[in-house]
Amino acid sequence: MRDPRYDILFEPMAIGPLMAKNRFYQVPHCNGGGYRDPSAAAAMRGIKAEGGWGVIFTEQTEMHHTSEITPFIELRLWEDKDIPMLRKMAQAMKTHGALAGIQLAYSGINGPNMYTKEVPLAPSALPIRTFTNDPVQARAMDKTDIRNLRRWFVNAAKRCKLAEFDLICLYGAHGFGIFQHFLSRATNQRSDEYGGSLENRSRFAREVIADMRDAVGDSMAITLRVSLDETIGELGFSNAEVRDFIAMNAELPDLWDLAQGTWEDCSGPSRFKEEAAQEALVRGIRDLSPKPVVGVGRFTSPDVMAKMIRQGTLDFIGCARPSIADPFLPKKIEEGRIDDIRECIGCNICITGDMTQAISRCTQNPTFMEEWRRGWHPEKIATRGDSENVLVIGSGPAGLEAARALALRGYDVAVAEARDSFGGRVARERMLPGLSAWGRVADYRLYQIGQRPNVQMYPGSDLGVQDVLDFGFQNICIATGSRWRADGVARQHVLPMPGADALPVFTPDDLMEGRMPAGKVMVFDDDHYYMGGVLAELAAQKGCDVTLVTPSAYVSDWTINTLEQGAIHRRLIAAGVKIVLNTGIARLHADGVETSCSYTDQRGRLACDAVIMVASRVANDSLFHALKARQAEWADAGIRSVQLIGDASAPGPIAWATFAGHRYARELDSGVWADEHGGDWGDSLPFRREITELAAD
Ligand code: FMN
């Protein structure tokens, strides 16, 4: 039963000529699959429709071949041949009464055109701005180019209609879309009627929307996504200016889609941004125009959502990441199942799918982008196969997810945890600076497990081989996690670092267990994800004099992919951490470390009292191997399968662990594993793949 406090979230609302069934608005988000995996993307959006979203958008769609953002894989609408694939997507979105939206992107100064080899067009001639600083410049559009671009928008709009979409979002936020490039004085330095005053800078948006309205406005809604604050200094499109722009063009789009200036800010991770972080930027804008407003802010709490609507800040609750973590979020609120919401943890691993041109993952929702590939549904799972019970050893993210999903399948599950509390690495990492929201990985699963009578939890159970053989479980899932190495083995050193016992070395595990160094401390980061930066911050908080040394050119290098690298660097500077880049450690000495330049043979010395070694991890797989050594006894003990999963198999990010746990649960007794006794792969591909027909014309 729905709580009446949330009724307001289920009131229908008009957007132009259309009616949205409720206020849940899935804003555009890419997924790393795009045009390469359109069936996977379509199925993912279809699941959101089933989950109750009132409006569902595609990711950004490159609407003309003169502006594309290769290597990033989004959607493409370059010619009529693209329509059938997009229609399939729109139709999936429209099941269950949702409105289907497509976001049209002309990337201007953000489109290097590496694939089409076309000269990029932008309001002014400036270098292309991409994550990789491509050595390409854009040509300033002349009047003919602007006329052409207006026509291309109309062509695209007509194709969107043929593809059966209901709404078109014009992309002018995050510094990415051409509308922002015209609006911002930083990227629009024109002296004609398209540049200069705000009115002139608005002209392009006004013309395009008028053209598109003529073409499709009778049946389609046109929304405009604008930046709330470009945050690039004086010339940027500021929050004050966006308000002036909206007041000046109050009737322009059918809906204002408001998103913070840079993508890094807008999709800021929980380490740096709270829920509803954009509230101050968005408050009051709704009063400037009669058109509805959607805003974002990693909304996972129905109370916060209802407040946003009730207090008149927003008309629609925009969600990208929360809709990925739980595509059934609206439905769960509607059914009064608030505790079942799988809250986004704000780790931004979903964004890495786009940034690495892979296919996206979600730490909380391992079925994301596997709906079509593997047929995984976020809320449904097949009933159990012909065995009956499973012993899951380890209660980290892999073990807990395996136990949760196995229990749903109907297995009798026992979870044995060596420690006194559950959660494994998540229980420890959630205590680190900025990572408390990550604890939701354990909280969600422990709550779900607690609702099921067929799971027994055993804390303080450090099992040995004989215990496992004696217990008589049919399936053994070993999810015993990993531990950080103290010997420095990672990328720079593939063998233990010389002198590793010359001075005190602390691992991340030491710090997470409360063993802190003191004095002058060196953090050596050869892991390159979040841990090095987080521990430098922690050590600084604890009063250490911290220097972070890394062989990479960036602090926490891989977090470029989670859009937090800049914020991490800024935070370390603020914390007084000294940063030494492009530098490795050749050897430890009693009074400090001998450094090595990443590019030359040059050596140096840095004095310190202790090293925090953020290198790599070792899988805790000894129980698995001990069991394997006694495989001959399995049958007599009633054991049918033994599997090693998650960090205990090969350490990785938390999302890899929840995926492994989920996969184990899905595939148990399914015959997918050729040899259930140890995880031998079968010969066939374990998922579907989009095959482009070579001869298709
Ligand atoms: N915004 C766009 O306008 N177009 C995109 O294609 C797009 N891709 C995104 C991909 C991912 C994986 C994520 C997480 C966000 C993306 N965004 C994109 C930004 C979101 O629309 C949204 O503004 C932002 O994530 C804040 O909303 P949230 O806190 O609900 O995630």
Side-chain angles (χ1 to χ4, degrees):
M1 257 281 286
R2 182 166 89 207
D3 186 324
R5 281 181 301 166
Y6 309 137
D7 285 353
I8 199 165
L9 296 169
F10 293 89
E11 287 172 8
M13 181 161 225
I15 310 176
L18 309 167
M19 187 62 76
K21 68 172 180 176
N22 61 33
R23 307 304 181 88
F24 296 95
Y25 194 110
Q26 183 245 274
V27 286
H29 71 73
C30 33
N31 46 72
Y35 61 76
R36 186 194 54 206
D37 300 285
S39 298
M44 177 268 288
R45 305 286 181 204
I47 288 288
K48 306 236 196 177
E50 200 185 327
W53 297 85
V55 180
I56 302 170
F57 266 91
T58 63
E59 62 269 51
Q60 58 171 302
T61 305
E62 297 166 349
M63 44 76 65
H64 195 263
H65 71 275
T66 54
S67 188
E68 46 90 9
I69 58 170
T70 304
F72 302 101
I73 301 176
E74 316 297 332
L75 292 173
R76 287 182 171 156
L77 183 51
W78 291 354
E79 52 180 333
D80 290 346
K81 280 185 198 165
D82 292 310
I83 293 174
M85 174 269 281
L86 289 169
R87 187 182 294 124
K88 186 170 157 184
M89 217 166 276
Q91 287 173 348
M93 292 168 169
K94 281 159 56 155
T95 52
H96 303 86
L99 296 176
I102 179 166
Q103 183 179 49
L104 293 185
Y106 195 86
S107 296
I109 209 133
N110 285 98
N113 293 350
M114 303 299 245
Y115 178 76
T116 60
K117 304 183 182 173
E118 298 287 359
V119 172
L121 300 173
S124 295
L126 284 169
I128 293 295
R129 303 163 156 220
T130 49
F131 291 104
T132 43
N133 291 324
D134 299 305
V136 180
Q137 294 198 197
R139 173 167 73 72
M141 287 192 271
D142 62 22
K143 297 287 172 55
T144 310
D145 296 319
I146 292 180
R147 261 198 310 279
N148 284 340
L149 183 50
R150 285 175 58 182
R151 195 178 62 255
W152 297 336
F153 267 107
V154 170
N155 293 345
K158 289 177 177 163
R159 288 188 176 119
C160 292
K161 185 165 179 166
L162 287 172
E164 299 178 20
F165 284 98
D166 302 307
L167 306 97
I168 295 174
C169 169
L170 298 176
Y171 199 8
H174 304 138
F176 290 164
I178 190 90
F179 298 95
Q180 173 162 353
H181 304 158
F182 268 101
L183 286 170
S184 165
R185 285 173 300 150
T187 45
N188 180 350
Q189 299 166 12
R190 301 176 73 94
S191 52
D192 62 6
E193 67 271 31
Y194 290 96
S197 67
L198 180 59
E199 177 161 12
N200 278 0
R201 282 179 279 132
S202 316
R203 189 177 309 279
F204 178 73
R206 282 201 306 276
E207 289 178 348
V208 170
I209 293 179
D211 295 345
M212 286 174 61
R213 228 185 257 302
D214 285 348
V216 299
D218 55 334
S219 58
M220 297 186 79
I222 299 164
T223 76
L224 183 58
R225 186 156 229 218
V226 284
S227 275
L228 281 165
D229 190 350
E230 205 178 351
T231 54
I232 56 159
E234 249 178 51
L235 288 177
F237 193 53
S238 66
N239 192 249
E241 236 184 351
V242 77
R243 287 168 192 263
D244 291 345
F245 168 70
I246 291 174
M248 185 186 285
N249 299 284
E251 304 270 348
L252 188 60
D254 292 313
L255 170 142
W256 296 103
D257 181 343
L258 306 173
Q260 197 172 346
T262 64
W263 190 20
E264 287 82 348
D265 280 330
C266 188
S267 298
S270 55
R271 189 170 164 192
F272 298 102
K273 301 270 181 184
E274 296 291 325
E275 181 169 9
Q278 304 185 28
E279 186 180 358
L281 290 171
V282 95
R283 196 182 302 131
I285 290 188
R286 191 170 163 273
D287 303 331
L288 303 174
S289 154
K291 303 296 177 150
V293 164
V294 62
V296 288
R298 205 164 40 76
F299 294 117
T300 59
S301 149
D303 289 310
V304 176
M305 296 177 192
K307 189 179 103 191
M308 289 291 148
I309 309 264
R310 200 170 295 118
Q311 72 190 15
T313 306
L314 300 174
D315 296 295
F316 288 95
I317 302 301
C319 292
R321 292 165 293 173
S323 77
I324 293 172
D326 197 341
F328 276 61
L329 193 154
K331 211 174 180 103
K332 288 177 182 174
I333 298 175
E334 187 166 27
E335 293 173 354
R337 295 166 51 214
I338 307 302
D339 290 335
D340 287 335
I341 295 173
R342 203 168 36 237
E343 287 185 289
C344 170
I345 68 166
C347 67
N348 282 6
I349 206 77
C350 51
I351 291 171
T352 68
D354 192 41
M355 298 293 282
T356 61
Q357 300 91 51
I359 199 158
S360 286
R361 299 176 181 252
C362 173
T363 301
Q364 282 285 60
N365 174 14
T367 68
F368 180 55
M369 291 308 284
E370 301 298 343
E371 301 87 348
W372 179 84
R373 292 210 309 178
R374 295 176 203 259
W376 289 0
H377 188 288
E379 301 295 315
K380 294 179 195 157
I381 194 162
T383 46
R384 70 172 171 77
D386 56 6
S387 65
E388 283 158 19
N389 54 50
V390 187
L391 171 63
V392 177
I393 305 174
S395 72
L400 285 183
E401 174 59 15
R404 182 197 72 85
L406 287 165
L408 269 184
R409 288 192 65 189
Y411 289 97
D412 286 328
V413 183
V415 179
E417 166 58 54
R419 291 172 186 256
D420 292 331
S421 57
F422 301 110
R425 63 181 285 189
V426 170
R428 294 192 291 281
E429 291 186 28
R430 73 186 304 172
M431 308 307 286
L432 294 172
L435 301 189
S436 62
W438 292 21
R440 292 171 174 182
V441 172
D443 296 344
Y444 166 74
R445 291 173 172 81
L446 286 170
Y447 176 78
Q448 295 298 320
I449 287 170
Q451 302 306 300
R452 307 211 69 90
N454 52 336
V455 190
Q456 305 305 317
M457 304 290 286
Y458 298 98
S461 302
D462 191 4
L463 303 186
V465 191
Q466 195 56 49
D467 299 321
V468 177
L469 291 170
D470 289 347
F471 280 152
F473 282 90
Q474 292 171 312
N475 304 291
I476 315 296
C477 171
I478 301 184
T480 36
S482 63
R483 62 192 181 278
W484 289 89
R485 307 180 68 121
D487 60 6
V489 168
R491 294 175 169 91
Q492 183 193 357
H493 294 277
V494 291
L495 295 174
M497 185 186 284
D501 49 8
L503 94 170
V505 171
F506 292 77
T507 67
D509 292 319
D510 289 325
L511 271 71
M512 287 189 274
E513 312 263 321
R515 290 187 291 278
M516 285 296 301
K520 216 171 162 49
V521 170
M522 174 94 40
V523 176
F524 179 58
D525 185 5
D526 201 16
D527 169 60
H528 309 284
Y529 193 16
Y530 56 90
M531 190 55 85
V534 168
L535 294 187
E537 192 182 337
L538 175 68
Q541 275 177 10
K542 299 279 181 195
C544 300
D545 173 3
V546 185
T547 302
L548 185 148
V549 175
T550 179
S552 170
Y554 295 93
V555 168
S556 300
D557 196 345
W558 202 72
T559 63
I560 290 173
N561 297 311
T562 50
L563 301 182
E564 58 192 324
Q565 194 279 327
I568 292 172
H569 198 127
R570 273 192 295 279
R571 179 160 287 183
L572 293 187
I573 291 173
V577 173
K578 289 177 273 307
I579 294 167
V580 182
L581 303 173
N582 300 316
T583 303
I585 294 184
R587 160 181 290 278
L588 304 186
H589 295 276
D591 58 351
V593 303
E594 185 177 333
T595 60
S596 57
C597 170
S598 293
Y599 298 109
T600 67
D601 292 337
Q602 213 176 326
R603 297 286 171 100
R605 287 295 278 259
L606 285 172
C608 64
D609 304 316
V611 170
I612 299 175
M613 191 71 81
V614 187
S616 64
R617 285 175 283 159
V618 193
N620 294 329
D621 55 4
S622 53
L623 177 61
F624 173 73
H625 290 297
L627 266 170
K628 283 281 278 186
R630 293 175 64 177
Q631 191 159 349
E633 299 168 50
W634 291 5
D636 283 348
I639 294 175
R640 295 164 52 136
S641 76
V642 177
Q643 280 290 335
L644 183 67
I645 66 164
D647 286 348
S649 166
I654 299 170
W656 273 240
T658 50
F659 177 85
H662 194 82
R663 181 177 185 184
Y664 171 81
R666 289 262 175 192
E667 294 180 350
L668 186 64
D669 287 332
S670 70
V672 167
W673 298 96
D675 171 12
E676 296 256 14
H677 302 276
D680 199 1
W681 278 295
D683 290 341
S684 57
L685 191 68
F687 54 84
R688 276 202 286 177
R689 196 159 61 100
E690 200 97 31
I691 304 286
T692 312
E693 277 181 64
L694 279 179
D697 196 19

